[in-house]
Amino acid sequence: MIHIRSCRGLEELEACVQLQVDVWGYADGDVIPRRVFLVAQKIGGQVLGAFDTAKAGAARQGDAASMVGFALALPGVKTSSGQPVSYLHSHMLAVREGYRDTGIGRRLKLAQREDALERGIARMEWTFDPLEIKNAHLNLHRLGAIVRRYEPNFYGSSSSRLQGGLPTDRLVAEWWMDAPRVHSRLRPQTAEMPNEAVQGEAEQGATVEVEVPAAISQWKADAGTRDQAAAVQTRNREQLQQAFAQGLAIVDYRLDADGSGRFVLAPWSEP
Ligand SMILES: CC(C)(COP(=O)(O)OP(=O)(O)OC[C@H]1O[C@@H](n2cnc3c(N)ncnc32)[C@H](O)[C@@H]1OP(=O)(O)O)[C@@H](O)C(=O)NCCC(=O)NCCS
């Protein structure tokens, strides 16, 4: 059974650091150290862990040994109508290989949302790589985040093995956690009762779609095909920036049967 809760004690924070290294393969200079996890907890951020309660040896070694996922968020402040407004910037979400695609990533996001709303924080942001089809599906389609900003080479060069040496272009996800569209996305869907938010946007008529080919992760991972991945990145950067300049937002993500993905852009006025 997977149990999700706030991390406690230095050992669990150390387990987050180790999981981060295992997942991203960062060089030392890119690793977020335990101290930052600790500070995040102290200043109103979030360090949530997913623990496998059945993991062999965990009972003997303590909870840190059973950590299979974590989410780290830092508190932020924006100005809205001249007033400071608190929000959370979710900097990392990780699930250990072998535990993925069973809903743990989504559950960590939902736990972040629950904690934030209890504290009166309605907005969460995070960045994600527009070439990562799975992340885009989770963020945009399953969670109901929207995107209005494209940040080219946001972090500069990165030692992350997931980056494949490409510029660290990022989309900024905005998760308006109490908005009707998010409530609607989080409601269980059935074939008879399709998701209202998706239906509503389809009725308005989506105006632009931007495609990410299914082979993108292979192209990124293989030095011989990295140019193809770079070409998609450049093309999509131009198309998305152009659409954002026209006032459109990414409101959904569609998966095609061949494994490719499509950003769906439409006018967005909430909240
Ligand atoms: C991103 C990550 C945290 C997601 O965790 P997870 O526990 O696997 O996520 P979930 O199981 O909750 O959701 C994954 C969704 O993607 C879908 N998915 C899996 N592989 C996919 C693929 N190749 N293409 C499209 N969707 C895919 C799953 O079916 C699931 O969707 P569903 O609920 O509609 O069926 C995890 O993959 C990870 O740690 N990745 C490496 C680090 C990373 O990229 N972190 C996020 C950026 S900071």
Side-chain angles (χ1 to χ4, degrees):
M1 199 180 87
I2 303 296
H3 181 53
I4 306 227
R5 61 163 172 78
S6 287
C7 289
R8 298 190 287 254
L10 292 177
E11 274 185 23
E12 290 185 5
L13 300 186
E14 192 60 49
C16 293
V17 176
Q18 189 52 51
L19 188 48
Q20 172 197 182
V21 172
D22 294 346
V23 166
W24 278 278
Y26 283 135
D28 286 355
D30 281 338
V31 175
I32 305 248
R34 190 180 71 184
R35 275 178 304 180
V36 174
F37 284 83
L38 183 72
V39 168
Q41 282 182 323
K42 302 282 183 201
I43 62 171
Q46 298 170 325
V47 185
L48 301 181
F51 300 89
D52 180 354
T53 55
K55 202 164 176 224
R60 196 177 60 248
Q61 293 162 22
D63 282 345
S66 67
M67 181 181 289
V68 298
F70 74 87
L72 165 70
L74 301 161
V77 182
K78 288 188 188 282
T79 306
S80 175
S81 312
Q83 294 298 314
V85 181
S86 305
Y87 74 105
L88 286 164
H89 179 85
S90 182
H91 183 56
M92 284 186 149
L93 174 71
V95 173
R96 193 175 285 292
E97 265 185 54
Y99 284 86
R100 294 184 187 162
D101 299 329
T102 59
I104 298 174
R106 183 166 179 271
R107 283 181 59 196
L108 280 162
K109 296 306 293 180
L110 296 183
Q112 284 186 306
R113 174 178 179 266
E114 194 181 324
D115 170 74
L117 291 178
E118 267 173 20
R119 292 193 279 143
I121 301 172
R123 177 184 188 143
M124 183 180 291
E125 292 191 355
W126 62 90
T127 62
F128 68 100
D129 184 340
L131 300 181
E132 292 288 333
I133 293 176
K134 172 181 167 177
N135 296 7
H137 165 72
L138 175 62
N139 294 335
L140 302 165
H141 187 71
R142 294 289 269 150
L143 297 173
I146 62 105
V147 176
R148 297 181 282 183
R149 280 175 285 159
Y150 194 106
E151 300 279 357
N153 202 24
F154 184 59
Y155 295 112
S157 68
S158 168
S159 59
S160 162
R161 75 167 83 87
L162 306 180
Q163 195 60 43
L166 294 183
T168 51
D169 285 22
R170 293 291 182 267
L171 291 171
V172 182
E174 294 173 37
W175 201 24
W176 295 89
M177 295 175 282
D178 214 11
R181 73 191 306 281
V182 170
H183 282 276
S184 166
R185 290 292 170 108
L186 299 184
R187 218 169 283 146
Q189 297 172 49
T190 62
E192 298 76 46
M193 285 180 62
N195 187 307
E196 293 158 30
V198 179
Q199 219 179 11
E201 275 146 15
E203 278 159 17
Q204 281 173 28
T207 48
V208 175
E209 292 193 351
V210 174
E211 201 210 332
V212 183
I216 194 73
S217 56
Q218 278 161 271
W219 291 347
K220 257 166 86 170
D222 182 345
T225 50
R226 205 156 287 152
D227 284 355
Q228 280 171 271
V232 173
Q233 187 183 54
T234 304
R235 183 199 68 196
N236 285 7
R237 180 193 302 139
E238 285 167 9
Q239 291 182 354
L240 289 167
Q241 284 182 326
Q242 198 177 12
F244 294 152
Q246 289 165 0
L248 301 180
I250 299 173
V251 295
D252 200 5
Y253 198 72
R254 297 208 175 116
L255 294 178
D256 292 333
D258 67 356
S260 59
R262 274 178 294 144
F263 293 105
V264 180
L265 292 112
W268 178 81
S269 53
E270 258 187 322

